[in-house]
Short mmCIF file of all heavy atoms in Angstrom, two decimals:
data_model
loop_
_atom_site.label_atom_id
_atom_site.label_comp_id
_atom_site.label_asym_id
_atom_site.label_seq_id
_atom_site.Cartn_x
_atom_site.Cartn_y
_atom_site.Cartn_z
N ASP V 549 184.12 54.00 136.38
CA ASP V 549 185.22 53.06 136.62
C ASP V 549 186.57 53.77 136.80
O ASP V 549 187.63 53.20 136.61
CB ASP V 549 185.31 52.02 135.50
CG ASP V 549 185.25 52.61 134.11
OD1 ASP V 549 185.35 53.85 133.99
OD2 ASP V 549 185.08 51.85 133.14
N MET V 550 186.48 55.03 137.20
CA MET V 550 187.66 55.79 137.58
C MET V 550 187.94 55.54 139.05
O MET V 550 187.02 55.32 139.85
CB MET V 550 187.43 57.29 137.34
CG MET V 550 188.66 58.16 137.51
SD MET V 550 189.83 58.00 136.16
CE MET V 550 188.90 58.78 134.84
N TYR V 551 189.22 55.60 139.45
CA TYR V 551 189.58 55.42 140.85
C TYR V 551 190.73 56.36 141.17
O TYR V 551 191.73 56.41 140.45
CB TYR V 551 190.01 53.97 141.10
CG TYR V 551 190.12 53.59 142.57
CD1 TYR V 551 189.01 53.12 143.27
CD2 TYR V 551 191.34 53.70 143.24
CE1 TYR V 551 189.11 52.76 144.61
CE2 TYR V 551 191.44 53.34 144.58
CZ TYR V 551 190.32 52.88 145.26
OH TYR V 551 190.42 52.53 146.59
N PHE V 552 190.58 57.14 142.25
CA PHE V 552 191.60 58.12 142.62
C PHE V 552 192.57 57.53 143.64
O PHE V 552 192.16 57.03 144.69
CB PHE V 552 190.94 59.39 143.18
CG PHE V 552 190.48 60.33 142.10
CD1 PHE V 552 189.28 60.10 141.43
CD2 PHE V 552 191.25 61.42 141.71
CE1 PHE V 552 188.86 60.94 140.41
CE2 PHE V 552 190.84 62.26 140.70
CZ PHE V 552 189.65 62.03 140.04
N PHE V 553 193.85 57.62 143.31
CA PHE V 553 194.90 57.15 144.21
C PHE V 553 195.56 58.30 144.97
O PHE V 553 196.26 58.08 145.95
CB PHE V 553 195.96 56.39 143.41
CG PHE V 553 195.49 55.03 142.95
CD1 PHE V 553 194.87 54.88 141.72
CD2 PHE V 553 195.64 53.92 143.75
CE1 PHE V 553 194.43 53.63 141.28
CE2 PHE V 553 195.20 52.67 143.33
CZ PHE V 553 194.59 52.52 142.10
N SER V 554 195.38 59.52 144.52
CA SER V 554 195.90 60.69 145.22
C SER V 554 194.99 61.88 144.93
O SER V 554 194.05 61.80 144.13
CB SER V 554 197.35 60.99 144.82
OG SER V 554 197.44 61.29 143.45
N SER V 555 195.26 63.00 145.56
CA SER V 555 194.40 64.18 145.50
C SER V 555 194.16 64.66 144.07
O SER V 555 195.09 64.68 143.25
CB SER V 555 195.03 65.31 146.31
OG SER V 555 194.37 66.54 146.06
N PRO V 556 192.93 65.10 143.77
CA PRO V 556 192.62 65.67 142.45
C PRO V 556 193.23 67.06 142.24
O PRO V 556 193.06 67.63 141.17
CB PRO V 556 191.09 65.75 142.44
CG PRO V 556 190.62 64.89 143.56
CD PRO V 556 191.70 64.92 144.59
N LYS V 557 193.92 67.60 143.24
CA LYS V 557 194.44 68.97 143.15
C LYS V 557 195.24 69.23 141.87
O LYS V 557 195.10 70.32 141.27
CB LYS V 557 195.28 69.30 144.37
CG LYS V 557 195.76 70.74 144.44
CD LYS V 557 196.51 71.02 145.73
CE LYS V 557 196.91 72.48 145.84
NZ LYS V 557 197.80 72.93 144.78
N PRO V 558 196.10 68.31 141.42
CA PRO V 558 196.85 68.58 140.17
C PRO V 558 195.95 68.86 138.97
O PRO V 558 196.35 69.57 138.05
CB PRO V 558 197.66 67.30 139.96
CG PRO V 558 197.86 66.76 141.34
CD PRO V 558 196.56 67.06 142.06
N ILE V 559 194.73 68.33 138.99
CA ILE V 559 193.79 68.61 137.89
C ILE V 559 193.44 70.09 137.90
O ILE V 559 193.51 70.77 136.87
CB ILE V 559 192.51 67.74 138.01
CG1 ILE V 559 192.86 66.26 137.92
CG2 ILE V 559 191.51 68.14 136.93
CD1 ILE V 559 191.67 65.34 138.14
N LEU V 560 193.04 70.60 139.07
CA LEU V 560 192.66 72.01 139.17
C LEU V 560 193.85 72.93 138.92
O LEU V 560 193.71 73.98 138.28
CB LEU V 560 192.07 72.30 140.55
CG LEU V 560 190.77 71.59 140.93
CD1 LEU V 560 190.20 72.17 142.21
CD2 LEU V 560 189.73 71.70 139.82
N ASP V 561 195.02 72.53 139.42
CA ASP V 561 196.21 73.36 139.22
C ASP V 561 196.52 73.53 137.74
O ASP V 561 196.85 74.64 137.29
CB ASP V 561 197.41 72.73 139.93
CG ASP V 561 197.30 72.82 141.45
OD1 ASP V 561 196.47 73.61 141.94
OD2 ASP V 561 198.04 72.09 142.14
N GLU V 562 196.43 72.45 136.99
CA GLU V 562 196.76 72.52 135.57
C GLU V 562 195.63 73.15 134.76
O GLU V 562 195.86 73.88 133.79
CB GLU V 562 197.10 71.13 135.02
CG GLU V 562 197.84 71.19 133.70
CD GLU V 562 198.44 69.85 133.29
OE1 GLU V 562 198.61 68.97 134.16
OE2 GLU V 562 198.72 69.70 132.09
N TRP V 563 194.40 72.87 135.16
CA TRP V 563 193.23 73.47 134.48
C TRP V 563 193.27 74.98 134.61
O TRP V 563 193.03 75.72 133.64
CB TRP V 563 191.97 72.90 135.12
CG TRP V 563 190.69 73.21 134.42
CD1 TRP V 563 190.51 73.92 133.27
CD2 TRP V 563 189.39 72.81 134.86
NE1 TRP V 563 189.17 74.00 132.96
CE2 TRP V 563 188.46 73.32 133.92
CE3 TRP V 563 188.92 72.09 135.95
CZ2 TRP V 563 187.10 73.12 134.06
CZ3 TRP V 563 187.55 71.87 136.07
CH2 TRP V 563 186.65 72.39 135.15
N SER V 564 193.53 75.47 135.82
CA SER V 564 193.73 76.89 136.10
C SER V 564 192.57 77.75 135.56
O SER V 564 191.42 77.52 135.89
CB SER V 564 195.07 77.34 135.53
OG SER V 564 195.37 78.65 135.88
N THR V 565 192.87 78.72 134.70
CA THR V 565 191.87 79.67 134.21
C THR V 565 191.28 79.29 132.86
O THR V 565 190.55 80.08 132.27
CB THR V 565 192.48 81.08 134.12
OG1 THR V 565 193.59 81.04 133.22
CG2 THR V 565 192.93 81.57 135.48
N TYR V 566 191.60 78.10 132.36
CA TYR V 566 191.06 77.68 131.05
C TYR V 566 189.57 77.35 131.18
O TYR V 566 189.08 77.02 132.27
CB TYR V 566 191.82 76.47 130.53
CG TYR V 566 193.24 76.79 130.13
CD1 TYR V 566 194.28 76.71 131.06
CD2 TYR V 566 193.55 77.18 128.83
CE1 TYR V 566 195.59 77.00 130.69
CE2 TYR V 566 194.86 77.47 128.46
CZ TYR V 566 195.87 77.38 129.40
OH TYR V 566 197.16 77.68 129.03
N SER V 567 188.87 77.38 130.06
CA SER V 567 187.42 77.13 130.06
C SER V 567 187.09 75.68 130.36
O SER V 567 186.26 75.38 131.20
CB SER V 567 186.82 77.53 128.71
OG SER V 567 186.97 78.90 128.48
#
Side-chain angles (χ1 to χ4, degrees):
D549 47 12
M550 188 74 69
Y551 193 88
F552 278 80
F553 287 91
S554 62
S555 169
K557 186 176 184 298
I559 298 176
L560 296 190
D561 289 344
E562 197 168 341
W563 190 2
S564 186
T565 59
Y566 291 89
S567 297

